[in-house]
Amino acid sequence: MEAFALETLESVGSLRAEWDDLLARCPGSPLFRTPEWVLTWYEVLADRFRPLVLAFRESGRLIGLLPLARRRDGRRIEFAGEALASGDHLGLVARAEELDRLWDAAAGLLEPELRRARVLRLAMLDRGPEVEAARRAADRRGWTVVASAGIEAPVARLPSDPEDLLRRLRKKRRADVRRRRRDLEQREGAAFSTITGAEDVGTGLEILFALHAARWRSRGSEGTLGDPVKRRFLGTFCRSAAERGWLRLHVCRARGRPIGALLAFHRDGTASYLQSGWDPEFRRYGVGELLVLFGMEEAVREGLRWFDFLRGDEPYKARWSTETRTLVTLEAACRLPGRAELRLRALASGLRRRLRARLAGDRRAEGGR
């Protein structure tokens, strides 16, 4: 097996056709490991990160790809596509049976890098075989490794009939959702539509950005889409996604104007729900939840198998999901400064957890009295 590193955007881009071919041989590979997501991220964040892509060939054929990035300050190596863009389900692009030997080969390439950078941060890995393979590779080299407790990422296995989505809810909740959708359509003249074409991306994203900001302003916050760099990333990626047929920007209009928008991507049997926003004036209708239902119904009609809510344990996700995946962050170091940083961070994290537990216990005791 040949293992090598690519360190420029041009050299990484030259692998695009092989990258697509590799993804086709790895069913279920997430949206966030595609060249569209990763190359857009490298391009938009070029002033903060430098590419470091580890590639693996066997008999001349690409069998694995690990998209990483060096921070410009040189202190850390991490997954491409996570910082700012909030990509989930990150990791190696490879077949499951190749994970152990490819992570071991990756660790061999990364060891010299970690003599210069303090920490390797692998965020938003799916708990399971890949986390175990990465950890074994680090342990074999005697690296210090710290793992996070994990973040929930709810998903829904989609039925074959859109009507079955509502049947999953409790009877009272099901009746409430139906009533709110009927009232929104009859009283406000609401209608749902979907933007899929690259020519409409600019208009659609302006709607999303405005409604996202309005929703969060009503809660005294700015939301997550105010950053102009993040907006540029989404604009560029959405155009690429539209060209591939992945874009689904669902919009709800009422009283002659947009009142809600939900951004999702349909790829390889999965709908990935990235962002949404709605007009607080229509809060009583629960426009956000109605958009989620519409997005799930459209995914069912297209024959998709999964609706991925991505990271976060918000209550509405629990209502619609059928299972939960866990996203884990591994951090590793092989030199004293990095090892010390990780150990201090782990100690501080443990102290915070114990303090929160003690405060929660004190509050329960006070409530009991």
Side-chain angles (χ1 to χ4, degrees):
M1 179 176 64
E2 178 192 6
F4 55 98
L6 302 168
E7 303 184 44
T8 66
L9 187 58
E10 293 73 23
S11 61
V12 177
S14 71
L15 283 181
R16 190 167 193 145
E18 291 181 274
W19 192 337
D20 279 334
D21 179 66
L22 176 60
L23 285 165
R25 288 181 272 124
C26 303
S29 291
L31 172 79
F32 308 102
R33 302 188 199 187
T34 63
E36 285 75 15
W37 183 269
V38 174
L39 293 174
T40 299
W41 187 87
Y42 283 139
E43 180 183 338
V44 172
L45 294 178
D47 61 332
R48 306 183 198 181
F49 296 91
R50 291 178 292 147
L52 177 61
V53 174
L54 308 186
F56 309 91
R57 289 189 193 279
E58 193 162 66
S59 302
R61 192 182 201 189
L62 191 69
I63 62 168
L65 206 66
L66 183 60
L68 300 170
R70 293 189 190 95
R71 284 189 174 265
R72 287 285 180 180
D73 62 13
R75 292 171 62 89
R76 194 163 80 188
I77 296 169
E78 59 195 78
F79 277 137
E82 199 277 323
L84 185 86
S86 302
D88 288 349
H89 309 297
L90 302 175
L92 259 170
V93 183
R95 294 179 64 84
E97 61 268 24
E98 301 283 5
L99 288 176
D100 263 311
R101 70 171 182 143
L102 291 184
W103 269 109
D104 195 59
L109 289 175
L110 285 168
E111 194 146 33
E113 296 287 340
L114 282 178
R115 295 194 183 103
R116 295 187 290 271
R118 278 193 177 187
V119 172
L120 170 66
R121 184 173 187 269
L122 303 173
M124 301 302 130
L125 283 159
D126 283 293
R127 177 175 286 165
E130 184 155 22
V131 169
E132 297 308 314
R135 184 143 202 173
R136 281 192 295 270
D139 288 344
R140 279 192 286 268
R141 284 162 176 78
W143 297 355
T144 296
V145 180
V146 174
S148 70
I151 297 173
E152 290 187 358
V155 296
R157 184 185 290 275
L158 295 173
S160 57
D161 184 348
E163 291 297 319
D164 288 336
L165 290 167
L166 278 172
R167 295 189 187 109
R168 291 176 174 177
L169 300 179
R170 293 181 178 179
K171 184 177 180 180
K172 185 176 180 181
R173 185 78 191 183
R174 184 164 65 241
D176 177 63
V177 171
R178 283 175 171 155
R179 176 191 57 77
R180 285 188 282 115
R181 181 154 65 176
R182 182 182 63 248
D183 288 350
L184 182 63
E185 291 171 349
Q186 293 179 357
R187 295 179 183 177
E188 310 291 353
F192 294 84
S193 60
T194 303
I195 292 171
T196 60
E199 67 279 5
D200 297 319
V201 164
T203 301
L205 285 180
E206 285 304 315
I207 291 170
L208 173 67
F209 295 155
L211 290 169
H212 182 85
R215 168 199 173 190
W216 285 102
R217 273 198 305 270
S218 71
R219 300 182 179 185
S221 175
E222 294 183 359
T224 60
L225 295 182
D227 188 325
V229 179
K230 186 162 189 173
R231 291 187 176 205
R232 185 156 66 92
F233 169 81
L234 282 176
T236 304
F237 174 70
C238 284
R239 288 180 180 86
S240 295
E243 290 168 2
R244 295 296 301 266
W246 303 341
L247 177 69
R248 301 294 184 275
L249 180 47
H250 305 301
V251 179
C252 178
R253 290 179 169 83
R255 300 184 197 169
R257 70 178 194 269
I259 65 166
L262 184 150
L263 178 61
F265 302 93
H266 289 192
R267 181 190 166 276
D268 199 16
T270 297
S272 299
Y273 160 32
L274 196 67
Q275 278 289 357
S276 63
W278 56 87
D279 189 334
E281 182 183 346
F282 295 83
R283 188 190 308 275
R284 66 186 179 278
Y285 295 107
V287 174
E289 185 172 37
L290 296 181
L291 275 164
V292 168
L293 175 58
F294 178 75
M296 294 178 77
E297 289 172 337
E298 289 298 290
V300 170
R301 292 185 188 105
E302 292 186 32
L304 273 62
R305 300 183 299 277
W306 297 97
F307 192 92
D308 192 343
F309 291 92
L310 304 178
R311 72 181 81 169
D313 59 356
E314 294 87 343
Y316 78 90
K317 294 183 179 181
R319 284 195 293 272
W320 294 101
S321 62
T322 58
E323 59 190 79
T324 299
R325 297 167 187 168
T326 302
L327 301 173
V328 175
T329 295
L330 295 181
E331 293 186 288
C334 67
R335 292 178 61 245
L336 182 59
R339 292 178 193 269
E341 180 181 328
L342 292 185
R343 285 170 179 153
L344 285 171
R345 200 181 302 164
L347 178 62
S349 178
L351 289 172
R352 284 194 298 270
R353 282 197 302 272
R354 286 194 288 274
L355 179 59
R356 284 195 295 268
R358 176 169 291 185
L359 290 173
D362 290 346
R363 284 194 292 269
R364 285 194 296 270
E366 289 170 3
R369 289 196 295 270

